Amino acid sequence: MKINPLMKQFITEAVLKTSFKMPSRLNLPPTALRFALEQLTRVFPQPKGVEFRALRIAGIHAEEIKPQKKSTQMILHIHGGAFFVGSLKTHRAFLAEIAVRTQMQVLHIDYPLAPEHPYPEASDAIYDIYQMLMDQGVQPKDIIISGDSCGANLALALVLKLKKEDPEHVPSGLILLSPFLDLTLTSESLRFNQKHDALLSVEALEAGINYYVPKDVDASIPEISPIFGDFAGLPPTLVQVGSKEILMDDAIRFEKKAKKAHVDVTYKLYTGMWHNFQMFSPWFDEAKKAIADIAEFAHKLDQT
């Protein structure tokens, strides 16, 4: 039986608010929320025709997802989770879908989470992984750096660091999905979309900030809040966000600042969608469109 799209969305949002958003507002231990998210993401169907291989790079666990034996491009993805949840398991089905749609290799890294590993441990680990890829002979032109939510924060922070310290190693492109870029929490959408976002709560963001940012460190520095960084010289960038997201204005602010810095930025807003809606592509047309837009962006980079 085919379910009315509006009813399907209503039911999905109700389930998300009950199963994850509400618990995330209760100051539960990170281990409990990590378990809850892994259980929630088990409902995502895993596409066929991909190979998974466990790796360890620069001491960090990672997973290689390949849709074919040879690929001309690698998508290096950094998962979200407010710096304290998320894993290889939570994003496996979503990234397998990205691999299938792009026909590119996806490298998913399991960076160290807060509060056990506060700033700068995650960003340092990701930088070390990228440098090891360079040492292994991977060319920057063959890498697209991608991230969702706080993973987009870490992705942008990595590229800003590369642009400053290793400009010859700047990747061919950058993908920011539902990005969490301002840890000072000054975006207006945190207020006006607070009731509309089915997945993410302000309380979860505040908990993540408290876990991730040491007390003696200013959360506004670009290494932590990359929205305040220098965008000049960034590679072509795709930004996606849903109209119901509490982080919508982080994406809007990024686009405006990137355009002023003459960055080739593609900004996409998806009507009626909540935080990290791209992971729900098996069931929602807007999420399917977002995956198609990611593939189009990646293929365009591959042809340049």
Side-chain angles (χ1 to χ4, degrees), residues 96-146:
E97 185 68 27
I98 295 292
V100 169
R101 292 301 301 269
T102 61
Q103 287 297 293
M104 295 176 181
Q105 171 188 351
V106 176
L107 182 63
H108 183 200
I109 56 179
D110 202 20
Y111 61 88
L113 298 176
E116 297 91 338
H117 304 280
Y119 172 85
E121 292 189 42
S123 53
D124 284 350
I126 293 165
Y127 182 78
D128 289 345
I129 288 172
Y130 193 84
Q131 291 303 324
M132 183 163 283
L133 292 174
M134 298 294 100
D135 293 342
Q136 291 174 350
V138 181
Q139 298 297 309
K141 68 180 180 61
D142 295 328
I143 298 181
I144 301 169
I145 295 179
S146 171

Side-chain angles (χ1 to χ4, degrees), residues 148-210:
D148 64 275
S149 192
C150 76
N153 175 305
L154 294 166
L156 177 56
L158 171 62
V159 177
L160 291 175
K161 184 174 182 178
L162 291 170
K163 186 169 66 73
K164 182 179 179 181
E165 299 183 5
D166 305 288
E168 72 280 5
H169 287 169
V170 171
S172 67
L174 181 60
I175 297 174
L176 306 177
L177 309 177
S178 301
F180 178 26
L181 304 179
D182 179 7
L183 273 63
T184 67
L185 300 182
T186 57
S187 284
E188 280 295 307
S189 55
L190 290 165
R191 176 180 55 81
F192 64 72
N193 267 346
Q194 190 168 184
K195 293 182 179 179
H196 304 302
D197 196 322
L199 186 68
L200 189 60
S201 66
V202 174
E203 290 85 354
L205 295 179
E206 290 172 340
I209 293 166
N210 289 333

Side-chain angles (χ1 to χ4, degrees), residues 72-73 75 97-104 144 172-175 177 236-240 264-268 270 286-304:
T72 56
Q73 283 273 28
I75 297 175
E97 185 68 27
I98 295 292
V100 169
R101 292 301 301 269
T102 61
Q103 287 297 293
M104 295 176 181
I144 301 169
S172 67
L174 181 60
I175 297 174
L177 309 177
T237 303
L238 171 66
V239 188
Q240 294 185 347
D264 180 3
V265 58
T266 302
Y267 170 80
K268 298 279 188 175
Y270 300 84
E286 285 290 280
K288 285 183 174 68
K289 178 65 166 60
I291 301 296
D293 289 339
I294 291 171
E296 180 182 356
F297 176 79
H299 292 153
K300 183 179 177 182
L301 290 177
D302 195 25
Q303 293 164 4
T304 57

